[in-house]
Amino acid sequence: MAGPRRPTLEDVAARAGVSRALVSIVIRDAPGASPRTRERVRRAADEIGYRPDARARLLSRGRSRLLGVVFGVQHAFHGDLVDGLYLAAERLGYDVALSAVTPRRDEERAVAGLLQDRCEALVLLGPGMPTSRLAALAAQLPVVVVARAVRHRAVDVVRTADDEGLRLAVEHLVGLGHRRIAHVDGGRAPGAAERRRGYGAAMAAHGLDPRLVPGGLTEDDGAAAARVLLAEGLPDAVTVFNDRCATGLLDVVRRAGVDVPGRLGVVGYDDSRLARLSHVALTTVAQDADRLTELAVTRAVQRLDGEPVAERELVVAPRLVARSTTAPR
Amino acid sequence: MAGPRRPTLEDVAARAGVSRALVSIVIRDAPGASPRTRERVRRAADEIGYRPDARARLLSRGRSRLLGVVFGVQHAFHGDLVDGLYLAAERLGYDVALSAVTPRRDEERAVAGLLQDRCEALVLLGPGMPTSRLAALAAQLPVVVVARAVRHRAVDVVRTADDEGLRLAVEHLVGLGHRRIAHVDGGRAPGAAERRRGYGAAMAAHGLDPRLVPGGLTEDDGAAAARVLLAEGLPDAVTVFNDRCATGLLDVVRRAGVDVPGRLGVVGYDDSRLARLSHVALTTVAQDADRLTELAVTRAVQRLDGEPVAERELVVAPRLVARSTTAPR
DNA sequence: ACCTATCACTAGAGCGCTCTAGGGCCAGGC
DNA sequence: GCCTGGCCCTAGAGCGCTCTAGTGATAGGT
């Protein structure tokens, strides 16, 4: 259990018969030690099970090279993003500190924790906080918002071209011969406004009448929207705010005996793991999680390095993934 | 963006005209300062926007009061547990450091990160690593495994009585008049063996023939199991390894025209958010996430405090939550 | 008057590391 | 022979905090 004391540089130095500084050099793979000594020090370190203390290291280095990430623990898509963030950060020599938003832990708590940990920059996944609050944070340290549009010059944004995503969805459906296409809305959720707009524009471009149904970002919201559609009359197809919402909708309409894709086409959004499940096989608009995270981390690092950046907002193109919930009419 | 320098204790001290130590006392709410000075120091701190540096604080305090948590970013139930862990840890004055297991970041990486951060103890949610590896970790620091049984005297375990959970599920189904009850197995997943065993025992107790179908912990595994059941003949009801797997199964059997709960009863496991969704309304065996996390954190702290513990393994009773996927036959 | 106790506060060491300066030592150039 | 420039290494300061030991000052007891 709790050993006597965790070994420190000093211990390794004593065992290898060298100075503390030399051990530090070896551990950091810094120049300034002969191969022989290097080997000897490394062996000594291994023997006593030395592990560098990240905190002390950061303290003395002056910088933490730590990227704070706020994510929603219940969002499948955030999981995909976190995966990408770890990868991208490592590539640039940064560490990631995760702080979760949970049902009983709000964004402010999550952010406060990261600030205490001396994160150098913040990456916020689909944050719900007001723009003014984001701006206040951005005054303290670089802030990169992912998957939500923010109109403020101090806040960097990396997001998918959500309007374009809905255009793709509508085009896809129109191409399959659908005319009456409804959109289940995301309300105030991040990205919802853009998707709504893209939907409206695409419908207009085809001379079709738009039909908006209130929705949200959870399965339950989708289920509720499904009930509305069933009660008020089914369209040919429906584009849904996100995959979670779409699966809720799917479940309810199918149980009501509606043939999908025969009678009703359904298009989701995110291409989360959910959509890819073989039995769901949801046609969806894919967000490129790896690209989004790569850009987010790169941007954060650019800000930290004081590099000038051309575009405050980076917009990644979405991609339509046709699966089994859409078919020719 | 990056201000000139983050303010330190020294800065606050200078502004308030007191010593660094006094400021420390005030910030920590420690005894040893007059109310007047306290007020003055606090104001000075506010004025320059001082925030304590968690790292320096931990370094000097000798202990980190940091609990490392390894969780699977894609597991809905882990999300519930993380929520509980934050709460329980805060109550005992500990902080939580999260480290995610993602598709491209394995458990070893996750654990290594936490060790570097000087976590005092590890809480591992449904870890997949071998017992020997867990034991090796436990030799370095207290390790509490949640939601998986581990037979090793150095590793603490907090889990649900999974065999009892399956007994509840079977009793429930038998009580509703079902006789042919199958179990979709979790294979090598944490908890699967106990659930399998509980299922077998309960079936035997009722003189019923068990029927095991290979499954797993994802929706896809459930979908595959459903196809097997459909091909080989439906039972009256089925108990499923977990909720995710159950929803996959549900989706496939329903689309095949099977009436649930009329023709087939389905019982899940975990009572994750998934099961609670109104349109899913899955009958399931609830794991008490709050209790599990409370116990896990308490145990970790006991170990750190060197308190003797009676039971290495803490087993929490499950509870059956009857919803709409089961009904009298 | 003196001694002691208490309170408010400060000096300074130290947590485990990094990093700058600088000290030997040897090879090579003059 | 001496200087120069590497190379390998060490001493020691310092990161921002906590905490122990101790200093004055005031109050209370005799």
Side-chain angles (χ1 to χ4, degrees):
Chain A
M1 228 75 48
R5 210 181 85 269
R6 191 164 152 158
T8 75
L9 270 193
E10 193 73 58
D11 302 324
V12 179
R15 180 170 248 268
V18 296
S19 73
R20 201 164 25 98
L22 221 214
V23 179
S24 172
I25 286 171
V26 173
I27 298 295
R28 281 177 293 135
D29 265 331
S34 68
R36 273 187 46 140
T37 326
R38 231 172 252 280
E39 175 52 34
R40 198 153 47 87
V41 169
R42 252 194 270 275
R43 188 160 41 235
D46 280 353
E47 280 166 10
I48 62 176
Y50 170 76
R51 282 178 172 281
D53 183 328
R55 317 207 155 236
R57 175 173 274 187
L58 300 182
L59 223 208
S60 79
R61 199 160 41 192
R63 338 184 11 179
S64 68
R65 294 192 82 82
L66 198 62
L67 257 32
V69 173
V70 173
F71 72 107
V73 86
Q74 63 276 62
H75 282 315
F77 185 57
H78 286 192
D80 294 345
L81 292 174
V82 166
D83 185 32
L85 287 170
Y86 271 122
L87 222 66
E90 187 185 11
R91 207 143 37 201
L92 293 179
Y94 279 75
D95 268 335
V96 165
L98 290 185
S99 195
V101 173
T102 73
R104 291 176 294 193
R105 186 170 194 262
D106 63 21
E107 285 182 350
E108 281 302 333
R109 303 280 320 260
V111 167
L114 293 176
L115 290 180
Q116 281 221 335
D117 282 348
R118 278 277 191 274
C119 288
E120 297 186 1
L122 250 34
V123 175
L124 309 178
L125 307 187
M129 56 178 72
T131 301
S132 58
R133 180 65 187 122
L134 290 171
L137 283 174
Q140 294 180 49
L141 77 179
V143 172
V144 182
V145 167
V146 177
R148 166 181 161 191
V150 178
R151 295 180 67 84
H152 191 286
R153 63 178 201 298
V155 181
D156 284 311
V157 170
V158 177
R159 63 177 180 89
T160 299
D162 285 330
D163 49 351
E164 170 67 7
L166 256 109
R167 194 184 64 72
L168 288 177
V170 171
E171 296 292 343
H172 171 69
L173 292 169
V174 168
L176 292 173
H178 299 91
R179 309 283 299 167
R180 296 178 305 146
I181 301 171
H183 178 63
V184 175
D185 187 39
R188 312 170 52 81
E194 288 76 17
R195 294 179 203 179
R196 196 161 47 229
R197 194 155 40 72
Y199 162 78
M203 290 296 279
H206 284 280
L208 299 174
D209 286 336
R211 175 177 171 193
L212 284 176
V213 181
L217 29 66
T218 70
E219 287 88 347
D220 266 347
D221 295 322
R227 286 182 211 107
V228 170
L229 286 176
L230 288 168
E232 301 183 354
L234 286 180
D236 298 342
V238 57
T239 57
V240 187
F241 171 66
N242 71 6
D243 290 342
R244 281 181 74 188
C245 187
T247 53
L249 177 140
L250 266 176
D251 195 47
V252 169
V253 297
R254 276 194 171 132
R255 266 202 271 172
V258 175
D259 175 25
V260 175
R263 172 65 188 84
L264 181 75
V266 177
V267 182
Y269 204 104
D270 281 352
D271 194 28
S272 60
R273 254 183 308 280
L274 220 51
R276 277 174 253 152
L277 293 169
S278 66
H279 65 104
V280 177
L282 181 66
T283 294
T284 191
V285 178
Q287 298 204 55
D288 189 338
D290 277 350
R291 183 107 184 90
L292 289 171
T293 51
E294 168 92 45
L295 289 174
V297 171
T298 305
R299 170 54 53 89
V301 172
Q302 282 177 328
R303 291 292 187 193
L304 291 173
D305 293 347
E307 290 179 28
V309 299
E311 303 279 351
R312 182 184 66 82
E313 192 171 38
L314 297 172
V315 181
V316 175
R319 188 169 44 87
L320 189 102
V321 181
R323 295 205 182 89
S324 315
T325 56
T326 50
R329 180 156 190 79
Chain B
M1 228 76 49
R5 211 180 85 269
R6 191 164 154 158
T8 75
L9 270 193
E10 193 73 57
D11 302 324
V12 180
R15 181 169 249 268
V18 296
S19 72
R20 202 163 24 98
L22 222 214
V23 179
S24 172
I25 286 171
V26 173
I27 297 295
R28 281 178 291 135
D29 265 329
S34 68
R36 273 187 45 138
T37 325
R38 232 173 251 280
E39 176 52 34
R40 201 153 44 88
V41 168
R42 253 194 270 274
R43 188 162 39 238
D46 281 352
E47 280 166 9
I48 61 175
Y50 171 75
R51 283 180 172 280
D53 182 329
R55 313 199 162 239
R57 173 174 277 185
L58 301 182
L59 182 54
S60 80
R61 200 161 40 192
R63 344 184 5 182
S64 69
R65 294 191 82 82
L66 198 63
L67 257 33
V69 173
V70 173
F71 72 107
V73 87
Q74 62 275 64
H75 281 315
F77 185 57
H78 286 193
D80 294 346
L81 292 173
V82 167
D83 186 32
L85 287 170
Y86 270 121
L87 222 68
E90 187 185 13
R91 211 148 29 208
L92 294 179
Y94 279 75
D95 268 336
V96 166
L98 290 185
S99 196
V101 173
T102 73
R104 290 175 294 192
R105 187 171 192 260
D106 64 21
E107 285 183 349
E108 281 302 334
R109 301 280 318 259
V111 166
L114 293 176
L115 291 179
Q116 281 221 335
D117 282 347
R118 278 280 189 272
C119 288
E120 297 186 1
L122 251 34
V123 175
L124 309 178
L125 306 187
M129 54 178 72
T131 301
S132 57
R133 180 67 187 122
L134 290 170
L137 282 174
Q140 294 181 50
L141 79 178
V143 172
V144 182
V145 166
V146 177
R148 166 179 161 192
V150 178
R151 297 180 67 84
H152 192 285
R153 63 179 202 296
V155 181
D156 284 312
V157 170
V158 178
R159 63 178 179 89
T160 300
D162 286 330
D163 50 352
E164 170 67 7
L166 257 110
R167 194 184 63 71
L168 288 176
V170 171
E171 296 292 343
H172 171 69
L173 292 168
V174 168
L176 291 172
H178 298 91
R179 310 283 298 167
R180 295 178 308 147
I181 302 171
H183 177 63
V184 175
D185 186 40
R188 311 170 52 81
E194 288 75 18
R195 294 179 202 179
R196 197 160 47 227
R197 193 154 42 70
Y199 162 78
M203 290 297 278
H206 284 280
L208 299 174
D209 286 337
R211 176 177 171 195
L212 284 175
V213 182
L217 29 67
T218 71
E219 287 88 347
D220 266 346
D221 295 321
R227 287 184 209 105
V228 170
L229 287 176
L230 288 168
E232 300 183 354
L234 286 181
D236 298 343
V238 58
T239 59
V240 186
F241 172 65
N242 71 5
D243 289 344
R244 281 181 75 188
C245 186
T247 53
L249 177 140
L250 266 175
D251 195 48
V252 169
V253 297
R254 276 194 172 131
R255 265 203 271 172
V258 175
D259 175 25
V260 175
R263 172 63 188 86
L264 181 74
V266 177
V267 182
Y269 204 105
D270 281 351
D271 195 28
S272 60
R273 253 184 309 279
L274 222 51
R276 277 173 254 154
L277 293 170
S278 65
H279 64 104
V280 177
L282 181 67
T283 294
T284 191
V285 177
Q287 297 204 55
D288 189 340
D290 277 350
R291 182 109 185 88
L292 287 171
T293 51
E294 168 92 47
L295 288 174
V297 172
T298 306
R299 168 55 53 90
V301 172
Q302 282 177 328
R303 292 292 188 193
L304 291 173
D305 293 346
E307 289 179 29
V309 300
E311 304 279 351
R312 182 184 67 81
E313 193 171 39
L314 296 171
V315 180
V316 175
R319 188 169 45 86
L320 189 102
V321 181
R323 295 203 182 88
S324 315
T325 56
T326 51
R329 180 161 190 73

